[in-house]
Amino acid sequence: MRLRVAAGGPAALKVLAAAGAAAAPVRLVWGGPIERPLAPLSPPWAPALELDSGTVLFSPNAICQFFFLARGEEPTDLTNQWLEWEATELQPAASAALYAQLVHGRKGLEAVEALGKLLAHIEQNLSRRGTAYLAGDTKSVADVVVWGTLFPVLQDETSLPSELQVLRTWFQSMTLSEACRKAADSVLMPKALLEFKSYLQKQPPPCLAMERITSNEPEPSLQEEEGSEPALTEEEITAAVDAWAHGAAALPKPWQPQKPVLPVEGMRNVLITSALPYVNNVPHLGNIIGCVLSADTFARYCRLRNWNTLYVCGTDEYGTATETKAVEEGLTPQEICNKYNAIHADIYRWFDISFDYFGRTTTPYQTTIAQDIFQRLLARGFLLQDTVEQLQCEDCQRFLADRFVEGTCPFCSYEEARGDQCDKCGKLINAVELKNPQCKLCRGVPVVKPTQHLFLDLPKLEEQLEPWLEQSWATGDWTANARYITRSWIRDGLKPRCITRDLKWGTPVPLDGFRDKVFYVWFDAPIGYLSITANYTDQWERWWKNPQQVELYNFMAKDNVPFHSVIFPCSLLGADDNYTLVNHLIATEYLNYEDGKFSKSRGVGVFGDMAKDTGIPADIWRFYLLYLRPEGQDSAFSWSDLMLKNNSELLNNLGNFINRAGMFVCKFFGGTVPDMVLTPDDKRLLARVTLELHQYHQLLEKVRIRDALRCILSISRHGNQYIQVNEPWKRIKGDEKDRQRAGTVTGVAVNMASMLAVMLQPYMPSVSLAIQGQLCIPPDCFVLSHNFTCTLPPGHRVGTVSPLFQKLEHDQIEALRKRFGGGQVKPPPAPVTLTAPGDPQLIQELTEEVAKQGNHVRQLKANKAEKAQVDTEVAKLLELKKQLALAEGKSPEVPVPKGKRKK
């Protein structure tokens, strides 16, 4: 292999470091930035790798990946995500920062300003995962690539913000590694850097797009970027004025489907499902935003568009978890299902989730449909029979379902991997592959025993799956993570998947020799969408066996993607009965709680049955969860941020505008919308609002729910600015011209409020209804079009106008934070007793105490004690070590445990 690199070129750094880290046998060819590259499409300073076959790799990241692959290190989902992030987000910003340093002479923090949120992103991920490196506890290609991009900019470590301690530790560790150090010495030589600087000076400055990756904030609207607004054309202004003049008569008539909702010839028929919540637990905020609330928002939008829409969901009720919960509570499995189905239904009712039908999987229809699909797969040769080694807990006297086994992941060594999937690396696992497995029910060590099971022959179905996937991706809207996760499954090669379990609570297997078994939950549960629809209408096949007329949207969190994109479609393709397959698979990332995870057992985080007890209305919860919906990456619920968004975006922005618009009508015009005489400024405002409305539609049609919400807030900001500039409260006291101007401004503003009421309905239905009542908006106007029209014409009477939102106070929020902090609230440190250093007796006593406490902590960890208990005892150990250091006359700093952030 021949590796051509240009000294001084920053991309060469990562490539050389990767070659060194992977011990790749390459022959180096040094060149300059002005030389012609091996690869004709690559920039002059970019490296290129010429393989012995003659193939040339000219993407630096592809070259780095090739070196690690050649060494036998397969990329994980996490390393691939880091590489994609580095290429699309970090590289452009780092190029801009390097240009600022070399060409403009900027130094220190000023030079790396463009990297601010990106560096914070790395810091947050390292801190949250608690690992020494980006993708685990060992160095990977992701570390080399990210370091290689950062080092030319950050080699003077004073450029790193002081608060990013975890990032600083990682960066120093990488810089001091032999491969990275040698690469830096070879590439970044003074003479080569001068040559590279000379090259850069002849180039235009890099164009850096707005940062969009790390914040939970909605993407800024066009007019917020650099304080400017896109120019309006005369055509846009004229079209907006024409649409306004046509009024409510131009709106489509709201369409109400017959009950039950069934597909209609010639209409857009939209079938929406959200992942079925498991019945044995109470959903937390992350579950709610990941599935039912996101789907509800989109379903409400579809209905406002006059699309014929059916939204179904229900509780997933079969499986070992239900049996176990029943034993815990002294009830039968069916009684447990009845109890928790009602709890789920109450929670979703409070959150105003607009299911057309909320059902359950423990029904005769579930048995009939699941067994029919099974029989069709069996008849077509898509099922296999094999002996399986399965974990059995002898203490519990039962075979253990995958999720009731916990152990060390065989791929990434994560110590709390489940028996079906590792939450850290995302790999699917067979429970017997776990290292150090434990029964989650009794903490006993299970034994491996053989048992006969049936398998879905996924390799045989792959030839049907792949062309269907390509067609669905080409015509549908799949989120990027859904596509990526599915591709990784296909890339790794499909394997037969077991579809039966040795349980009693489930859909019986209708086959001799297996009648004592039930279907595995991930074969059975997605069929629940069909059976729930069948319980809604006996004409369910018009939805589920009608791909020509029906568009299917599946909403879920990312961990459910493989089952909806590979396993369930394979079952339906193999059944060969004209089933409706998913067209649009919408997957979120995870919502975390403050700095950790939700935990019912530790009392950490807000769960669905607790939200209504906070005194905060359901619509506020809906708004905030949708505001930080984890569309592109994980996001985190924050009490402080909830208070900020409520008080700023809702109270001071949206609520303030709508209240002022309505109050001006009541106070200055006797509750009647005044005449309006549009000026050029008013017409430009109509066009500006129309552009935001178009953007709102474009985003929601692509199911970018969080981003579309910012269009609503942007329109209300326009409205507040419009009122503030024109000051109708002053003009109403002036001459006839001023009073006319006050009337125009008030009339336009109250019509903006009317349109916002409709746009807001998918997000905050109760608030939308309140605005409709206050402004007396006609029901026929509650439909979404692409035009901003005058729906409240002169002479329209409004009702009583009152504030829509209440301020959240700091003390109120702090009380809630404390209430829901649970085990994440850190215990106050024990008081340090100051003594004169050098007391031998005290040193001896403290040494013994440290040893004793250290043994206690190790024993707790060995016994897999609760994390909260371990953390408390570790805190005591660290405090004892500090006291020992003080007694010895040393600095009381305690070494940070490996992989943990220094507090």
Side-chain angles (χ1 to χ4, degrees):
M1 293 185 293
R2 186 163 68 109
L3 178 63
R4 184 264 190 198
V5 290
L13 189 60
K14 67 173 83 168
V15 170
L16 280 185
V26 297
R27 180 166 61 89
L28 281 177
V29 178
W30 291 93
I34 59 172
E35 291 183 16
R36 186 183 178 196
L38 290 175
L41 297 179
S42 61
W45 65 87
L49 178 67
E50 188 174 17
L51 304 181
D52 295 338
S53 63
T55 302
V56 176
L57 301 180
F58 56 89
S59 161
N61 286 7
I63 295 171
C64 294
Q65 277 188 300
F66 179 84
F67 289 150
F68 276 78
L69 276 169
R71 195 174 71 167
E73 291 190 20
E74 289 286 337
T76 66
D77 290 349
L78 192 54
T79 57
N80 285 332
Q81 288 170 18
W82 275 113
L83 292 179
E84 183 178 351
W85 175 82
E86 185 274 342
T88 59
E89 304 289 351
L90 184 61
Q91 270 191 41
S95 297
L98 190 62
Y99 191 92
Q101 282 183 340
L102 294 180
V103 178
H104 296 151
R106 294 179 185 167
K107 296 181 179 179
L109 292 174
E110 181 189 11
V112 299
E113 184 178 1
L115 295 175
K117 289 186 177 181
L118 300 155
L119 298 178
H121 176 65
I122 302 173
E123 169 87 8
Q124 290 162 8
N125 274 271
L126 286 168
S127 302
R128 186 169 65 246
R129 296 182 185 281
T131 55
Y133 297 99
L134 297 177
D137 288 319
T138 56
K139 199 180 303 169
S140 71
V141 64
D143 296 282
V144 174
V145 166
V146 173
W147 173 85
T149 298
L150 288 175
F151 185 80
V153 183
L154 300 179
Q155 52 185 307
D156 174 8
E157 289 184 14
T158 58
S159 301
L160 266 174
S162 58
E163 64 270 18
L164 303 181
Q165 286 297 322
V166 181
L167 170 61
R168 184 182 291 268
T169 300
W170 168 83
F171 186 74
Q172 289 172 342
S173 172
M174 291 297 300
T175 303
L176 293 174
S177 67
E178 183 179 4
C180 293
R181 192 178 66 251
K182 285 185 176 179
D185 291 344
S186 301
V187 174
L188 302 181
M189 297 179 293
K191 181 180 178 183
L193 280 176
L194 284 174
E195 190 176 14
F196 183 67
K197 176 181 177 180
S198 175
Y199 174 85
L200 282 183
Q201 286 172 334
K202 300 172 186 176
Q203 309 302 314
C207 180
L208 183 61
M210 290 295 295
E211 295 172 283
R212 304 183 192 274
I213 55 95
T214 61
S215 173
N216 294 338
E217 306 292 322
E219 295 182 7
S221 59
L222 292 172
Q223 66 268 22
E224 291 177 300
E225 297 186 11
E226 301 180 1
S228 64
E229 294 182 335
L232 293 167
T233 66
E234 286 300 321
E235 290 79 6
E236 288 171 334
I237 295 171
T238 301
V241 173
D242 287 345
W244 167 271
H246 282 97
L251 293 174
K253 296 299 179 188
W255 182 76
Q256 293 297 329
Q258 294 182 341
K259 301 296 182 181
V261 182
L262 294 171
V264 176
E265 183 79 34
M267 291 193 69
R268 183 171 182 180
N269 300 294
V270 178
L271 175 58
I272 298 172
T273 69
S274 55
L276 305 182
Y278 203 71
V279 76
N280 77 317
N281 54 32
V282 177
H284 57 63
L285 298 181
N287 303 137
I288 291 168
I289 184 59
C291 302
V292 295
L293 179 54
S294 294
D296 175 67
T297 305
F298 185 68
R300 288 176 176 275
Y301 171 74
C302 292
R303 296 182 190 119
L304 286 171
R305 292 292 303 275
N306 279 347
W307 298 342
N308 187 38
T309 304
L310 178 69
Y311 175 24
V312 296
C313 186
T315 43
D316 175 12
E317 300 189 350
Y318 283 133
T320 301
T322 303
E323 290 184 347
T324 305
K325 193 72 171 177
V327 171
E328 287 176 10
E329 298 195 15
L331 300 172
T332 66
Q334 188 62 64
E335 288 170 337
I336 278 290
C337 291
N338 294 343
K339 173 184 174 179
Y340 280 93
N341 174 270
I343 290 173
H344 277 264
D346 285 343
I347 289 168
Y348 303 139
R349 194 176 299 115
W350 186 80
F351 274 95
D352 214 350
I353 306 299
S354 63
F355 302 119
D356 290 288
Y357 187 76
F358 184 77
R360 55 202 308 183
T361 57
T362 52
T363 67
Y365 272 118
Q366 178 74 13
T367 302
T368 301
I369 298 171
Q371 290 184 347
D372 177 65
I373 291 173
F374 168 80
Q375 295 286 14
R376 295 181 70 87
L377 288 167
L378 183 67
R380 286 159 179 76
F382 292 121
L383 297 180
L384 305 171
Q385 181 177 325
D386 201 359
T387 301
V388 174
E389 291 189 329
Q390 197 168 333
L391 292 175
Q392 185 180 54
C393 179
E394 295 181 328
D395 293 336
C396 297
Q397 295 186 338
R398 70 197 310 166
F399 282 102
L400 294 175
D402 293 342
R403 285 177 177 260
F404 282 83
V405 184
E406 197 171 75
T408 302
C409 175
F411 300 105
C412 71
S413 300
Y414 177 57
E415 293 183 356
E416 296 178 10
R418 300 193 312 265
D420 59 346
Q421 190 172 22
C422 175
D423 285 334
K424 186 175 180 183
C425 70
K427 293 279 189 181
L428 292 183
I429 301 169
N430 286 321
V432 293
E433 297 175 345
L434 286 173
K435 301 174 185 176
N436 307 315
Q438 280 192 332
C439 170
K440 287 185 69 175
L441 306 176
C442 70
R443 290 297 171 188
V445 178
V447 297
V448 178
K449 290 201 172 180
T451 179
Q452 284 286 307
H453 279 290
L454 294 167
F455 289 74
L456 182 63
D457 193 348
L458 292 178
K460 193 172 180 180
L461 286 159
E462 193 167 355
E463 63 183 28
Q464 294 185 54
L465 176 71
E466 290 200 21
W468 168 76
L469 277 174
E470 292 299 331
Q471 188 268 341
S472 186
W473 287 342
T475 58
D477 290 314
W478 288 47
T479 52
N481 57 355
R483 291 173 185 260
Y484 177 80
I485 291 167
T486 304
R487 282 196 184 101
S488 68
W489 260 60
I490 302 297
R491 182 195 64 224
D492 294 343
L494 297 181
K495 299 175 180 60
R497 189 79 178 167
C498 187
I499 64 167
T500 54
R501 285 293 183 267
D502 289 292
L503 305 172
K504 290 185 169 44
W505 186 245
T507 302
V509 178
L511 184 66
D512 289 343
F514 295 88
R515 295 186 186 277
D516 59 339
K517 302 180 191 295
V518 299
F519 289 128
Y520 177 39
V521 66
W522 273 115
F523 174 78
D524 188 60
I527 298 171
Y529 299 134
L530 284 64
S531 72
I532 287 168
T533 309
N535 279 281
Y536 168 68
T537 172
D538 58 7
Q539 299 182 69
W540 65 273
E541 291 183 348
R542 290 178 59 183
W543 284 107
W544 285 102
K545 294 185 180 181
N546 190 6
Q548 295 78 22
Q549 287 189 330
V550 174
E551 283 184 71
L552 174 57
Y553 287 80
N554 288 163
F555 285 80
M556 69 204 67
K558 64 181 178 182
D559 57 336
N560 283 339
V561 166
F563 309 105
H564 288 79
S565 67
V566 176
I567 295 176
F568 187 43
C570 278
S571 299
L572 298 183
L573 287 166
D576 189 24
D577 202 15
N578 197 39
Y579 279 107
T580 302
L581 300 179
V582 62
N583 304 96
H584 315 276
L585 202 155
I586 313 300
T588 62
E589 302 292 318
Y590 295 136
L591 176 72
N592 296 314
Y593 180 78
E594 296 281 349
D595 293 326
K597 293 184 177 181
F598 291 86
S599 171
K600 188 79 170 179
S601 62
R602 293 190 287 120
V604 176
V606 181
F607 285 71
D609 56 345
M610 304 170 180
K612 59 184 173 184
D613 297 329
T614 62
I616 299 173
D619 267 19
I620 306 301
W621 287 108
R622 287 178 61 106
F623 167 82
Y624 184 60
L625 291 173
L626 292 163
Y627 192 98
L628 53 77
R629 182 175 183 262
E631 293 187 356
Q633 66 169 47
D634 292 357
S635 59
F637 173 90
S638 161
W639 284 106
S640 299
D641 191 50
L642 169 63
M643 179 178 68
L644 176 66
K645 296 303 183 292
N646 177 82
N647 295 347
S648 60
E649 292 291 8
L650 292 181
L651 186 63
N652 295 338
N653 176 16
L654 181 66
N656 180 54
F657 169 66
I658 293 172
N659 185 255
R660 290 170 88 187
M663 286 298 295
F664 290 160
V665 176
C666 295
K667 185 175 180 181
F668 302 146
F669 301 98
T672 301
V673 176
D675 291 331
M676 291 165 271
V677 179
L678 300 181
T679 67
D681 284 345
D682 300 325
K683 294 174 182 179
R684 279 191 289 273
L685 176 66
L686 300 185
R688 187 73 61 201
V689 171
T690 300
L691 287 180
E692 289 289 353
L693 177 61
H694 289 173
Q695 179 77 348
Y696 170 88
H697 283 297
Q698 289 168 9
L699 291 166
L700 276 177
E701 286 172 5
K702 295 293 184 182
V703 204
R704 289 177 58 185
I705 295 170
R706 184 181 79 168
D707 292 342
L709 179 55
R710 66 118 169 105
C711 297
I712 296 172
L713 301 174
S714 181
I715 289 173
S716 61
R717 273 191 287 271
H718 278 300
N720 276 314
Q721 184 181 18
Y722 177 62
I723 289 174
Q724 208 62 31
V725 167
N726 286 283
E727 300 180 322
W729 63 91
K730 290 183 180 179
R731 291 182 180 270
I732 197 66
K733 301 173 184 176
D735 57 21
E736 183 179 348
K737 184 178 179 182
D738 277 341
R739 289 196 298 274
Q740 184 187 73
R741 184 64 189 147
T744 299
V745 172
T746 299
V748 170
V750 79
N751 271 279
M752 289 174 66
S754 176
M755 187 183 74
L756 284 171
V758 186
M759 295 175 70
L760 195 61
Q761 198 266 0
Y763 295 89
M764 305 179 79
S766 295
V767 171
S768 171
L769 190 62
I771 302 168
Q772 183 182 12
Q774 291 183 21
L775 301 184
C776 299
I777 303 170
D780 280 356
C781 294
F782 242 69
V783 64
L784 276 170
S785 81
H786 281 71
N787 295 316
F788 174 28
T789 61
C790 180
T791 54
L792 306 182
H796 173 86
R797 289 199 62 82
V798 302
T800 302
V801 177
S802 58
L804 297 167
F805 306 109
Q806 299 294 322
K807 184 178 181 181
L808 291 178
E809 300 292 347
H810 178 75
D811 290 348
Q812 174 190 5
I813 290 300
E814 285 306 310
L816 290 169
R817 188 202 308 276
K818 184 176 181 181
R819 174 180 166 190
F820 294 104
Q824 287 185 179
V825 176
K826 296 177 177 60
V832 178
T833 305
L834 297 176
T835 58
D839 183 340
Q841 184 177 353
L842 178 62
I843 292 173
Q844 179 64 30
E845 290 175 358
L846 287 171
T847 301
E848 292 174 359
E849 286 295 318
V850 166
K852 181 180 176 182
Q853 185 67 12
N855 288 333
H856 180 51
V857 168
R858 282 189 288 275
Q859 189 64 42
L860 285 174
K861 291 182 176 179
N863 293 335
K864 301 289 185 181
E866 288 288 333
K867 186 176 184 299
Q869 183 184 2
V870 174
D871 289 346
T872 300
E873 298 305 315
V874 168
K876 292 178 183 178
L877 175 61
L878 295 177
E879 188 56 43
L880 285 169
K881 288 184 176 181
K882 286 182 181 179
Q883 293 191 36
L884 176 59
L886 286 168
E888 292 175 334
K890 300 176 182 176
S891 167
E893 288 294 323
V894 180
V896 179
K898 182 179 179 182
K900 300 291 184 183
R901 177 163 57 165
K902 190 174 179 180
K903 302 293 182 186

